[in-house]
Amino acid sequence: MSDPQIAGTRPFPRRLLATDTEAAARSLIGARLVRGRNPAGRVGRIVEVEAYIGEEDLASHARFGRTTRNAAMFGPPGVAYVYLVYGMYHCLNVVTEAERQAAALLVRAVEPIGGGEEMRAARVRWAGDRAVRHGKAAEERARSQIEALPEDRLASGPGLVCAAFSIDRAADGIDLCDPESDLRLELADEDDPLPVETGPRAGIDYAPDPWRSRPWRFFVPGNASISSVSLRSRRQVAL
DNA sequence: GCAAAGATTTGCT
DNA sequence: GCAAATCTTTGCC
């Protein structure tokens, strides 16, 4: 049982999110996502994000203008935009740019730093809720599978981040820069910025060019917690 | 009011 | 490599 290395953090400055979203993406890589109070809380380092910028971005939920679902995207920088996708996965976004500008960063992967076992327990609860309708055996199968996962892979995708941090629509609109928020961002107190690689965004084949090919997925190359999409694109680079 | 598709993940062929 | 799971939102009738 090692101590979570959560000492050297401070509140995440809102101004780093009020700028253009690509710059904000680089600031967010390496930042901490925190659930609950230290030291018992769940803490992870953000290692992959995706940018959705403006109503003209035809891959963005904002492409239809402001709706009930995406209203938070039009809010001030630093608030959370949480939505349900494919009927079962929640996705967490950090809103960027000035109020009324629809832009956000999708948090796609987090590297667990502290509270890994609580993340694992949250994953088991989440999977159990879904598996229960398939019977006790399915529930048990899901549980043993998650318990076999290496800690690095507990939050290695946008839906998995929300499962591991117990995030759902209830978190929509909360202020992630408020140190009092139960779910919040913290700025890591580290010297070395992480290396960042970019690639096209995942799962947006419906969007026409140039949006489809914009290199607006940002990830830490070689990190063990990046999503499978980025692991694949990393392999392509290596070949 | 209804059909269609989705910023995902998993398992099976 | 492909389809299923699962339900909200959008867009059109």
Side-chain angles (χ1 to χ4, degrees):
Chain A
M1 298 265 222
S2 60
D3 252 353
Q5 303 175 345
I6 54 179
T9 60
R10 46 212 149 100
F12 196 86
R14 196 180 310 279
R15 63 181 162 74
L16 294 180
L17 301 170
T19 61
D20 79 274
T21 302
E22 290 183 75
R26 308 221 171 227
S27 302
L28 203 52
I29 294 284
R32 307 289 167 84
L33 180 65
V34 184
R35 162 69 84 185
R37 308 323 301 185
N38 300 339
R42 287 165 265 179
V43 184
R45 180 164 73 159
I46 296 173
V47 293
E48 181 174 331
V49 300
E50 237 168 43
Y52 292 85
I53 309 176
E55 295 178 60
E56 61 283 354
D57 177 359
L58 294 184
S60 171
H61 288 167
R63 65 189 183 280
F64 301 121
R66 186 184 181 126
T67 65
T68 309
R69 169 163 79 150
N70 69 17
M73 272 188 98
F74 293 76
V79 308
Y81 165 42
V82 181
Y83 64 87
L84 182 67
V85 72
Y86 300 120
M88 66 185 91
Y89 296 103
H90 288 277
C91 291
L92 169 70
N93 295 254
V94 180
V95 173
T96 59
E97 306 200 11
E99 188 157 11
R100 308 213 279 194
Q101 301 262 38
L105 292 164
L106 169 66
V107 178
R108 287 186 54 86
V110 165
E111 176 185 349
I113 292 177
E117 287 317 300
E118 183 48 42
M119 294 183 202
R120 195 183 300 275
R123 285 283 309 272
V124 169
R125 282 196 302 273
W126 185 90
D129 288 345
R130 285 195 51 229
V132 66
R133 75 180 57 190
H134 298 295
K136 210 70 181 166
E139 204 176 339
E140 182 56 30
R141 194 163 51 242
R143 188 185 63 77
S144 65
Q145 191 153 3
I146 291 167
E147 287 180 350
L149 277 178
E151 186 169 281
D152 284 338
R153 305 305 292 169
L154 286 174
S156 56
L160 304 179
V161 168
C162 286
F165 282 79
S166 309
I167 298 167
D168 59 21
R169 279 286 281 177
D172 189 57
I174 70 165
D175 185 3
L176 296 168
C177 294
D178 181 353
E180 300 303 309
S181 291
D182 192 65
L183 180 71
R184 62 195 180 279
L185 294 169
E186 291 179 3
L187 191 63
D189 202 10
E190 290 173 332
D191 308 331
D192 319 313
L194 294 168
V196 175
E197 207 163 283
T198 64
R201 294 172 288 180
I204 56 151
D205 283 350
Y206 58 85
D209 269 326
W211 311 110
R212 180 211 285 263
S213 46
R214 286 273 145 88
W216 284 351
R217 179 167 42 90
F218 303 80
F219 61 98
V220 179
N223 184 278
S225 297
I226 58 179
S227 73
S228 53
V229 168
S230 293
L231 284 175
R232 273 197 297 278
S233 70
R234 172 74 179 158
R235 193 173 313 146
Q236 282 173 5
V237 167
L239 286 178

